[in-house]
Amino acid sequence: MTISVPADVLSRLKAVLGEGGWSQDPDRLAPKLLEWRDRWKGTTPFLALPRTTADVSAIVGICHEAGVPITTQGGNTGLVGGQIPQGEILLSTERLSTIRDVDAFDDVIVAEAGVTLAAVHEAALQVRRRFPMGLASEGTATIGGIVSTNAGGTAVLRYGNTRDLVLGIEAVLPNGEIWNGLKRLRKDNTGYDLKQLFIGGEGTLGVVTAASLKLFPILASRATAVAAVESPEVAIQLLVRAKEEAGGAVEAFELMGRRGVEFVLKNIPNQRDPLHRSYPWYVLIEIASGEPGAAGAAMERLLGKALEDSLILDAAIAQSEAQAKAFWSVRENQSPGQKPEGATWKHDISVPVSQVAKFIAQATAAMEAFAPGCRITAFGHVGDGNIHYDVIRPDGGDDAAHSAKRNEGSRIVHDIAAAMGGSISAEHGLGSMKTEEARRYKSPVEVAALSAIRQSLDPKRIMNPRVFF
Ligand SMILES: Cc1cc2nc3c(=O)[nH]c(=O)nc-3n(C[C@H](O)[C@H](O)[C@H](O)COP(=O)(O)OP(=O)(O)OC[C@H]3O[C@@H](n4cnc5c(N)ncnc54)[C@H](O)[C@@H]3O)c2cc1C
């Protein structure tokens, strides 16, 4: 459904944005209206391409006055449909693309919303610093999107989620006012922390226009390895050992099942099997240390002892950066690798780390009973208790028939996670996909408090109206 926007509102928006600052050309709009897995297709009457925070303020102000809804989009890599408009005006941050400051004294980088994560990595390196977040989508995902989804990624184990990495933000509120909260303080204990509402706010409380982010030293040594294990249970035992052996130096601990690895080898060009033989489960481990040589030594001790104790079946430590990249490529292609296999029910659940193996076992038994012949891949940030648990249609099966059972199947998976004290969305957010489902798992008290916050800032509900309560 396209919402009809009064002609005078469109004229005012065009006047503010100027030539090159807006589009209604279907070819220009098309890639922004399709989600990368083709799961959501959207519509919009107007694409706004603001270049400055003042432009964003003017656009949102006009829409607020007229009661016209807006959906904000960054890199369009979100996995829960929140960035795809269903008739709203689409505000893209692609031209908010300036890195305003990189400071190695304050250890901070200030980047506008449309800057990609990869560009932030690059800019930090220029001052011999590092922004530690890693996402397979980092070449396209933007700082505005990352902040707004409170993205996680592969280094949460050591550095936390986006919430832990943001020092300040600048945002345009739903009435068009600009809030300059671009602080760079490590300590600021002065009441409610407003920026935390925008982090993970998925565009419902306004438009994030810039963020100041924490930088970290570049570490002197880094070791990457793949180890084969018999089961997720053993993977967790190895995680406990890794933390003990390396102290706080474990950066990533990622699980992959054999089926997911095989999909990558089959469907993604130029990939290598990480070990010489095939094994039921793999963990990709990364250790990094400020001390030269220390990461490699810790990895060797960890894997040597684990082999000796028959905890692991096999292992390889990357001998070069290229080999480390090849290991990571198999992990990062777990999702793209399964895409050609057909319709999939995707889940992004978290449970306490101690419950991961039990979750995988229970969910797998339940799915095999509910959807006989389905193909399951379980992979992800097992060190954070976050499993991407995907249920793919049977080999040669019918996509439509599988998709038709999605809601019922996902409900079973979500109920199993919830019964273990888990979450139905560990890192991807709610978007339009999971908002109604989340209502089931939150108490009425929580839903009412969250709705009241939104109502107070956006009484006309113009910002991402399809998302949240
Ligand atoms: C291959 C692949 C791997 C991924 N791996 C991970 C992973 O490991 N961990 C993880 O957490 N996510 C992962 N993601 C999901 C995705 O990359 C993240 O959610 C990312 O943060 C989205 O950024 P984006 O710029 O693409 O945002 P979009 O997709 O454009 O938007 C996402 C949401 O944020 C809102 N939004 C965007 N920009 C703004 C803004 N400036 N102000 C207000 N609201 C805004 C949108 O309205 C929408 O609700 C992955 C995605 C892909 C495709």
Side-chain angles (χ1 to χ4, degrees), residues 153-416:
T154 50
V156 173
L157 195 55
R158 186 167 190 176
Y159 298 98
N161 293 291
T162 304
R163 213 174 271 298
D164 305 295
L165 296 169
V166 175
L167 293 172
I169 64 164
E170 177 190 84
V172 170
L173 305 186
N175 64 3
E177 281 178 340
I178 299 171
W179 172 51
N180 184 346
L182 270 184
K183 292 188 176 173
R184 46 178 76 190
L185 302 175
R186 306 282 159 159
K187 286 187 160 184
D188 177 21
N189 203 358
T190 53
Y192 298 135
D193 189 350
L194 185 55
K195 71 173 179 300
Q196 294 296 349
L197 284 178
F198 288 85
I199 302 171
E202 297 187 47
T204 59
L205 298 181
V207 182
V208 173
T209 46
S212 43
L213 308 167
K214 289 181 192 172
L215 297 182
F216 293 80
I218 294 172
L219 298 177
S221 62
R222 180 171 296 277
T224 309
V226 169
V229 290
E230 193 59 51
S231 65
E233 207 167 355
V234 179
I236 300 298
Q237 289 170 26
L238 186 64
L239 169 68
V240 173
R241 281 197 184 193
K243 287 193 208 167
E244 283 167 5
E245 187 61 63
V250 183
E251 296 233 323
F253 199 93
E254 300 282 313
L255 181 74
M256 299 178 282
R258 180 65 197 171
R259 177 175 271 133
V261 170
E262 277 173 5
F263 286 155
V264 172
L265 299 175
K266 174 180 163 202
N267 296 324
I268 308 285
N270 306 320
Q271 303 296 313
R272 287 185 50 193
D273 213 335
L275 300 171
H276 292 301
R277 282 182 43 207
S278 87
Y279 294 98
W281 293 90
Y282 302 83
V283 283
L284 191 160
I285 311 167
E286 193 152 287
I287 296 177
S289 166
E291 211 183 307
M299 188 72 89
E300 278 175 25
R301 279 196 308 275
L302 169 71
L303 297 179
K305 183 85 177 50
L307 267 176
E308 218 174 281
D309 297 345
S310 304
L311 191 65
I312 61 176
L313 306 169
D314 195 359
I317 301 178
Q319 298 302 314
S320 64
E321 199 158 320
Q323 203 181 356
K325 276 195 178 143
F327 287 166
W328 271 110
S329 181
V330 175
R331 162 62 188 91
E332 286 173 346
N333 278 303
Q334 291 288 302
S335 254
Q338 60 177 232
K339 191 175 173 188
E341 296 295 323
T344 304
W345 312 334
K346 284 181 173 281
H347 308 96
D348 167 38
I349 68 94
S350 63
V351 290
V353 174
S354 59
Q355 303 295 300
V356 164
K358 194 168 133 200
F359 166 79
I360 293 176
Q362 275 193 20
T364 302
M367 287 301 96
E368 283 170 356
F370 178 73
C374 67
R375 295 166 296 162
I376 290 162
T377 63
F379 65 94
H381 320 298
V382 68
D384 315 323
N386 177 191
I387 298 298
H388 299 309
Y389 186 86
D390 296 343
V391 184
I392 306 164
R393 66 146 164 77
D395 200 6
D398 178 47
D399 280 341
H402 191 63
S403 297
K405 290 176 75 176
R406 181 197 312 268
N407 291 349
E408 216 184 326
S410 290
R411 174 66 51 84
I412 296 170
V413 173
H414 290 162
D415 282 352
I416 292 171

Side-chain angles (χ1 to χ4, degrees), residues 35-37 70-84 90-93 96 112-117 133-138 140-154 156 161-162 170-172 198 201-210 254 331-333 335-336 348 381 386 388 426-432 463-464 466-468:
E35 185 250 4
W36 77 283
R37 292 165 303 182
I70 301 171
T71 282
T72 305
Q73 187 178 98
N76 190 13
T77 67
L79 296 173
V80 286
Q83 74 280 13
I84 303 292
L90 181 59
L91 188 158
S92 166
T93 58
L96 294 168
E112 291 187 346
V115 174
T116 63
L117 177 56
M133 173 177 282
L135 301 180
S137 53
E138 62 196 31
T140 315
T142 63
I143 293 307
I146 283 163
V147 168
S148 300
T149 57
N150 183 29
T154 50
V156 173
N161 293 291
T162 304
E170 177 190 84
V172 170
F198 288 85
E202 297 187 47
T204 59
L205 298 181
V207 182
V208 173
T209 46
E254 300 282 313
R331 162 62 188 91
E332 286 173 346
N333 278 303
S335 254
D348 167 38
H381 320 298
N386 177 191
H388 299 309
E427 62 175 4
H428 296 158
L430 295 181
S432 34
M463 303 305 305
N464 273 23
R466 297 158 293 102
V467 176
F468 286 7

Side-chain angles (χ1 to χ4, degrees), residues 50-67:
R51 197 200 287 278
T52 64
T53 301
D55 288 349
V56 176
S57 165
I59 297 161
V60 176
I62 292 167
C63 289
H64 171 73
E65 223 178 278

